[in-house]
């Protein structure tokens, strides 16, 4: 999906270290309904947009800190549209061509208005005094632009068209550099202040340098690109991964995996890339490209009726992932590579969002806009089995 990869790159593809270990229990007292997406979550923040047009902030104990009605129109939006940013104690809420700013401490609306840029604002990210975002012009989903917008949301600082919106899955942001897969077979680094290319590479040339010439169909990034330290990891079509130097785009390594990659991949701060496909788990050392682990899970997944695992969430000890269609969350021990915990959500899980870990909690989006929150079981308060 165009929208999910852009969101993940900025908020979730780089997990923070944590020690979340199964078994987990479901917080039934904090199962939110009609949540549009994960919103903005970190160790101290829980801010979510709801389909009734409200934005709600929750304390760590799950009590409501404040809520504001942003717009009655938001209830008609698709789940992926809109974005929330927390910056310098101000909450920025974007939806369609509307912007609302809220004081985080008080919950009071600072400003709410319609921008003069009358295009969708998708999953905006703030960099210094500008907003970097994906937009589409004139309500035309096939006319995609990526742009830098001034902080008052009234003018483009620059904008560039994407020749085909499908390729815009290859987008990531690091400091003042944006990575864009703007046309077929091209990946480029763009300065977000000026909008000019820092470097540009052909994806086919990248694979040729690594001795790989048997790519399938079009050569493009079909999953989220990942920035890790000074390296850029590219999933190219369905079987290939390449790693480039972020500064100049030179190739470090490339692989063709013997599995169709069915989800976005995840990075953990141990220099490892975790890739899930149909029945297989790969763990790749990012600096060297060495395949550290290749584990076949076909038998275990068949038993649990797991077919298409989504983007994993990684803790110090555990790999968490899910099969959205089957509504199955499960955990794999990083050392033994055994499945140690699973939980089935009867209504199914969202295919747009994988589970995420924030602090000591695991969050999962349901198929029908439910938000599920899991925590480690406490021996004295353990109730039931999940």
């Amino acid at each position: 999906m165009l929208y999910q990869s852009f969101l993940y790159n900025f908020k979730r593809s780089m997990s923070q270290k944590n020690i979340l270990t199964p078994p987990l229990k479901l917080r039934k007292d904090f199962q939110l309904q009609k949540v549009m997406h994960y919103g903005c979550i970190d160790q101290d923040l829980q801010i979510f947009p709801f389909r009734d047009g409200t934005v709600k902030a929750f304390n760590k104990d799950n009590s409501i800190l404040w809520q504001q009605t942003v717009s009655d129109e938001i209830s008609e939006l698709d789940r992926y549209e809109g974005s929330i940013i927390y910056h310098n104690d101000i909450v920025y809420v974007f939806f369609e061509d509307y912007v609302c700013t809220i004081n985080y401490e008080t919950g009071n609306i600072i400003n709410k208005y319609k921008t003069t840029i009358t295009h969708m604002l998708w999953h905006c990210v703030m960099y210094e005094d500008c907003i970097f975002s994906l937009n589409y012009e004139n309500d035309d989903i096939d006319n995609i632009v990526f742009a830098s917008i001034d902080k008052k949301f009234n003018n483009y600082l620059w904008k560039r068209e994407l020749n085909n919106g499908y390729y815009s899955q290859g987008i990531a942001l690091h400091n003042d550099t944006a990575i864009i897969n703007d046309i077929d077979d091209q990946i480029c680094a763009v300065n977000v202040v000026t909008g000019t290319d820092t470097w540009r590479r052909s994806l086919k040339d990248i694979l040729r340098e690594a001795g790989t010439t048997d790519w399938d169909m079009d050569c493009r990034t079909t999953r989220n690109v990942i920035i890790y330290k000074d390296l850029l990891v590219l999933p190219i079509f369905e079987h290939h991964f390449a790693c480039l130097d972020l500064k100049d785009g030179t190739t470090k390594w490339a692989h063709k995996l013997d599995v169709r990659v069915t989800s976005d991949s995840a990075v953990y701060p141990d220099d490892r890339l975790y890739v899930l496909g149909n029945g297989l788990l790969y763990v790749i050392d990012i600096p060297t490209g060495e395949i550290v682990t290749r584990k076949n899970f076909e038998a275990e997944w068949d038993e649990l009726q797991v077919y298409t695992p989504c983007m994993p969430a990684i803790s110090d000890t555990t790999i968490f992932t899910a099969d959205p269609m089957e509504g199955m969350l499960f955990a794999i021990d990083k050392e033994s590579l055994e499945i140690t915990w699973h939980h089935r959500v009867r209504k199914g899980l969202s295919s747009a969002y994988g589970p995420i870990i924030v602090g000591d909690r695991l969050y999962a989006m349901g198929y029908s806009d439910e938000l599920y929150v899991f925590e480690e079981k406490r021996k004295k308060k353990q109730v039931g089995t999940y």
Side-chain angles (χ1 to χ4, degrees):
M1 293 294 296
L2 168 66
Y3 323 92
Q4 83 180 67
S5 60
F6 193 68
L7 178 66
Y8 282 147
N9 277 303
F10 297 114
K11 295 183 179 177
R12 286 174 266 283
S13 62
M14 188 71 71
S15 303
Q16 295 182 348
K17 279 187 172 290
N18 55 72
I19 322 174
L20 185 63
T21 303
L24 305 180
K25 69 173 183 177
L26 175 65
R27 284 294 301 262
K28 292 183 178 179
D29 62 326
F30 195 55
Q31 182 176 322
L32 305 179
Q33 306 291 327
K34 301 302 179 183
V35 178
M36 293 180 66
H37 53 70
Y38 283 128
C40 184
I41 314 173
D42 66 16
Q43 297 279 19
D44 302 308
L45 296 173
Q46 295 183 108
I47 308 172
F48 305 108
F50 289 80
R51 206 165 278 284
D52 62 359
T54 61
V55 173
K56 298 178 184 179
F58 293 85
N59 294 304
K60 185 64 176 178
D61 64 1
N62 303 329
S63 60
I64 293 180
L65 177 62
W66 51 259
Q67 69 178 58
Q68 280 289 356
T69 298
V70 178
S71 172
D72 295 334
E73 298 179 42
I74 202 169
S75 61
E76 303 300 323
L77 296 179
D78 187 277
R79 76 167 68 233
Y80 311 108
E81 296 167 352
S83 184
I84 294 180
I85 299 174
Y86 173 80
H87 182 72
N88 291 339
D89 291 328
I90 296 177
V91 180
Y92 296 80
V93 183
F94 306 87
F95 51 95
E96 291 197 327
D97 44 5
Y98 290 87
V99 178
C100 180
T101 52
I102 301 172
N103 182 298
Y104 175 74
E105 295 296 329
T106 65
N108 295 330
I109 291 179
I110 301 170
N111 204 351
K112 182 169 65 173
Y113 55 92
K114 190 170 184 176
T115 72
T116 57
I117 300 173
T118 56
H119 318 306
M120 293 295 300
L121 301 178
W122 284 339
H123 308 306
C124 311
V125 175
M126 188 167 293
Y127 175 75
E128 294 184 352
D129 291 327
C130 61
I131 302 294
F132 181 75
S133 79
L134 270 183
N135 310 328
Y136 67 76
E137 295 197 301
N138 303 320
D139 295 328
D140 181 1
I141 197 166
D142 292 322
N143 188 13
I144 310 295
V145 299
F146 59 91
S148 182
I149 306 169
D150 69 19
K151 205 170 182 179
K152 295 180 181 178
F153 313 106
N154 291 322
N155 297 293
Y156 282 126
L157 299 177
W158 56 263
K159 70 175 181 176
R160 292 171 55 168
E161 292 185 0
L162 297 175
N163 289 8
N164 188 324
Y166 185 86
Y167 302 129
S168 60
Q169 295 193 73
I171 292 183
L173 181 68
H174 179 69
N175 295 330
D176 63 351
T177 300
I179 303 300
I180 307 293
N181 185 191
D182 60 347
I183 59 175
D184 188 16
D185 184 36
Q186 298 287 314
I187 192 85
C188 64
V190 179
N191 183 290
V192 299
V193 178
T194 65
T196 57
D197 286 1
T198 304
W199 53 260
R200 178 178 288 270
R201 294 290 311 278
S202 160
L203 297 176
K204 291 180 180 178
D205 287 347
I206 292 169
L207 294 183
R208 286 192 188 102
E209 285 182 2
T212 301
T213 58
D214 56 342
W215 50 77
D216 305 277
M217 299 175 63
D218 295 330
C219 193
R220 58 179 181 249
T221 57
T222 51
R223 299 292 173 186
N224 66 315
V225 301
I226 294 173
I227 292 175
Y228 182 71
K229 296 180 179 177
D230 58 352
L231 298 173
L232 172 66
V233 179
L234 301 174
I236 304 175
F237 201 58
E238 295 185 332
H239 297 85
H240 302 88
F241 276 86
C243 181
L244 309 184
D245 188 305
L246 187 59
K247 294 179 181 178
D248 57 17
T250 55
T251 305
K252 296 295 186 180
W253 54 262
H255 289 302
K256 180 179 181 181
L257 305 182
D258 55 352
V259 63
R260 178 174 177 266
V261 179
T262 56
S263 71
D264 291 326
S265 302
V267 171
Y268 195 64
D270 57 1
D271 290 346
R272 298 292 193 261
L273 174 73
Y274 294 82
V275 182
L276 284 168
N278 290 342
L280 289 174
L281 164 70
Y282 280 89
V283 182
I284 301 174
D285 182 74
I286 296 175
T288 66
E290 177 189 359
I291 296 177
V292 179
T293 299
R294 180 187 181 279
K295 168 72 173 180
N296 190 317
F297 280 99
E298 286 185 358
E300 294 93 332
W301 289 359
D302 282 347
E303 184 177 347
L304 292 175
Q305 295 182 314
V306 172
Y307 304 107
T308 53
C310 60
M311 179 180 177
I314 316 295
S315 77
D316 280 1
T317 61
T318 309
I319 303 165
F320 294 92
T321 187
D323 183 322
M325 294 297 294
E326 298 298 322
M328 178 67 76
L329 280 161
F330 60 99
I332 301 169
D333 183 83
K334 287 171 69 173
E335 185 173 345
S336 68
L337 296 180
E338 298 294 329
I339 295 176
T340 57
W341 170 84
H342 60 85
H343 174 93
R344 189 178 297 277
V345 176
R346 293 179 182 177
K347 293 183 179 180
L349 295 166
S350 168
S351 59
Y353 302 107
I356 63 170
I357 298 173
V358 183
D360 57 357
R361 290 179 169 182
L362 180 74
Y363 294 80
M365 283 294 302
Y367 178 77
S368 301
D369 300 339
E370 303 89 1
L371 178 70
Y372 300 93
V373 180
F374 296 82
E375 294 178 332
E376 291 185 19
K377 290 184 176 180
R378 312 299 182 196
K379 290 183 178 180
K380 293 183 179 180
K381 297 182 179 181
Q382 180 172 334
V383 179
T385 302
Y386 296 90

